[in-house]
């Protein structure tokens, strides 16, 4: 399994995406996002997506040089159509617009459609938190709807429908909660398949509704399904997922789960809050820090060394992987090399 420094992996990505027709700045935008996902430990949204996005460009399902367009504009609300470009381009554009609106008017909400796959959702609220705002994201997968079983059902009808929130801290990295409303992201099943290992109990069921740890059962025909978040109280995960469908899919105009098996685009809703329009900034930071100290004061239970705050696992992973490098499994690497061949780029490790 090849291991790359983050910079080497970025350089490989820049070359591939530019050769596939993307502008230099857009290639950097997309590849930096994906490599940061690997650094954060989310291999499901890292270099594994190089081949997926390049194939979509080759098949002309994504437009390499599309420019996002504001199609509805109010003081605190806008709707953006990304014109079928690479997801990270549209999503960064939309989040920057929401930040601008929040800066001026206290709150900025921007819906985004026709943007393909935007990757790791937490990246966008984090962008706002790094500039001192609190932000949230609700993201569906348009009409795609077959991966996640609803509570009580055995057939997949919903998507993983993630949501993410980020809030700044006085000195430390922001809090980042970035989570699917299913037990796990679909990409993590793909990673397990590529790494030829089983998934933990409680993630998926087979097409007959039996619990299984074999990730290939999820991809079988007829397919299995990922379970909704919440285990025995999975009605809460399904409920959240339905609301994400409406916030991300209906408000953006991208559409809601309707049984499609191929995703055209995420449907996105970002909201940014300007803290100073609500409260004094110093008071806010005092409350964040006392809340975190209070939460961390709980004695850890069996199998836990300490209480972590959302986002801490990712920032720690990034420190580790900056030093140790990023492992790209053999199947993912072989997929990247296949796409490189189409682009007449010779990749060696
Ligand atoms: P996850 O379960 O690994 O993490 C969810 C959240 O829990 C994170 O905020 C993490 O910081 C926090 N966390 C993890 N362990 C913790 C601990 N011990 N203590 C405290 N907090 C902890 O993530 P996931 O739900 O499997 O999602 C993985 C990625 O997939 C996310 O980046 C998500 O945005 C992405 N995703 C994208 C799409 C898309 O369509 N673009 C769809 C689904 C998922």
């Amino acid at each position: 399994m090849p291991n790359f420094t983050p910079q080497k992996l970025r350089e490989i990505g820049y070359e591939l995406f530019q050769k596939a027709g993307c502008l230099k700045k857009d290639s950097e935008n997309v590849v930096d996002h994906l490599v940061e996902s690997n650094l954060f430990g989310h291999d499901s949204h890292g270099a594994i997506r190089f081949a997926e996005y390049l194939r979509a460009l080759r098949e002309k399902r994504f437009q390499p040089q599309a420019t996002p367009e504001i199609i509805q504009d109010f003081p605190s609300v806008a709707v953006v159509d990304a014109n079928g470009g690479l997801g990270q381009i549209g999503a960064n554009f939309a989040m920057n617009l929401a930040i601008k609106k929040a800066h001026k008017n206290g709150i900025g909400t921007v819906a985004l459609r026709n943007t393909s796959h935007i990757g790791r959702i937490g990246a966008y609220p984090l962008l706002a938190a790094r500039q001192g705002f609190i932000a949230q994201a609700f993201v569906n997968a348009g009409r795609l709807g077959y991966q996640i079983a609803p509570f009580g059902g055995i057939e997949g009808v919903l998507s993983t429908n993630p949501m993410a929130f980020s809030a700044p801290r006085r000195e430390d990295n922001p809090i980042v909660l970035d989570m699917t409303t299913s037990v796990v992201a679909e990409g993590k099943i793909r990673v397990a398949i590529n790494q030829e290992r089983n998934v933990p109990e409680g993630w998926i069921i087979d097409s007959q509704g039996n619990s299984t740890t074999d990730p290939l059962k999820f991809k079988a025909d007829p397919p299995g399904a990922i379970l909704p978040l919440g285990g025995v109280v999975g009605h809460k995960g399904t409920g959240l997922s339905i609301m994400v469908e409406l916030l991300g899919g209906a408000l953006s105009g991208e559409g809601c789960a309707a049984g499609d098996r191929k995703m055209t685009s995420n449907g996105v809703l970002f909201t940014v809050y300007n803290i100073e329009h609500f409260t004094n900034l110093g008071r806010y930071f005092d409350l964040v820090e006392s809340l975190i100290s209070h939460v961390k004061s709980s004695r850890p239970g069996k199998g836990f060394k300490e209480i972590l705050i959302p986002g801490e696992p990712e920032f720690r992973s990034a420190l580790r992987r900056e030093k140790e490098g990023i492992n790209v499994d053999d199947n993912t690497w072989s997929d990247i090399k296949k796409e490189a061949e189409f682009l007449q780029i010779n990749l060696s490790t």
Side-chain angles (χ1 to χ4, degrees), residues 42 45 117 119-121 160 176-178 180 188 266 311 314:
H42 290 292
H45 288 72
H117 182 262
R120 201 181 81 255
I121 310 307
T160 50
V176 187
L177 176 64
D178 177 13
T180 51
K188 289 192 179 162
N266 281 133
E314 284 79 5

Side-chain angles (χ1 to χ4, degrees), residues 33 37 41-42 44-45 49 53 116-124 139-141 147 159-165 176-188 203 229 263 265-266 304 306-315:
H33 172 108
S37 299
H42 290 292
S44 55
H45 288 72
R49 304 284 172 169
Y53 293 179
S116 68
H117 182 262
I118 71 168
R120 201 181 81 255
I121 310 307
Y124 308 102
V139 176
N140 89 332
Q147 298 162 327
S159 289
T160 50
N161 292 352
M163 49 176 146
F165 305 82
V176 187
L177 176 64
D178 177 13
M179 51 171 272
T180 51
T181 51
S182 51
V183 169
V184 72
E186 184 265 349
K188 289 192 179 162
W203 279 19
L229 182 69
M263 185 179 93
S265 174
N266 281 133
F304 291 85
E306 61 176 319
I307 307 302
L308 296 176
I309 296 302
E312 274 187 319
E314 284 79 5
F315 289 118

